[in-house]
Amino acid sequence: MTARIGVVTFPGTLDDQDSLRAVRTAGAEPVSLWHRDKDLQQVDAVVLAGGFSYGDYLRAGAIARFSPVMETIIDQAKAGLPVLGICNGFQILTEAHLLPGGMLQNSHLHFICREQKLRVETSETAWTADYTAGQEIHIPLKNMDGRYVAEERVLDELEAEGRVAFRYLDVNPNGSLRDIAGITNAAGNVVGLMPHPEHAVQPLVGTGRTDGLGFFTSILKKLVNA
């Protein structure tokens, strides 16, 4: 049976079609999910795509967190459903308290769009198993509210528990504390990051590399072998 991976569209989502294409490229069946529908259509995993849900009013992801679909996602994520939050999706995951910390405006107060070098810090998650710890990858980055912050206690816990999933290399593009680009929950089924792996799955799109495809092949292998 082909694994089914859902991609949620909120008002203001921009990268849902790219995420659906990435799922298809990896070999899974992409399923479009609408923010007002609590039914996840029996998908095996969920991607919260990037964009500017609800115009980033109040805070990025703060309104989307209360969409009907998120009620189901929150419950099922706590029960083990794999969830990947990309950029705005990462912001929504922090607002929903599925991941700790939060997002502030970039320290330089400008929107940034660039190819970003990352270091994979852990392969022990549902979305990073096809990478190796310490591997360096190049992934497109585009955000205005991408500065990851958390209390020192939380940052220390993330470090001690191996829950920093990705770290910025060469340059910290947005002022994120401890160069954190992405994190995971303790169970490893929920991962959020600011860069956009869905823009790096085909040679003619994004960076011209396929460094982001590993996110989608990782979850596919986990689902197939489960």
Side-chain angles (χ1 to χ4, degrees), residues 5 18-19 22-23 26 28 47 84 86 127 130-131 197-198 201 212-221:
I5 300 179
D18 301 80
S19 297
V23 168
V47 176
L84 175 66
I86 302 171
W127 300 92
D130 263 1
Y131 297 103
E198 78 281 12
V201 299
L213 188 59
F215 285 81
F216 304 96
T217 57
S218 292
I219 188 60
L220 180 58
K221 288 180 181 178

Side-chain angles (χ1 to χ4, degrees), residues 1-5 23 27-30 44 219-220 223-224:
M1 180 179 293
T2 302
R4 291 163 49 85
I5 300 179
V23 168
E29 179 185 349
D44 303 298
I219 188 60
L220 180 58
L223 294 172
V224 170

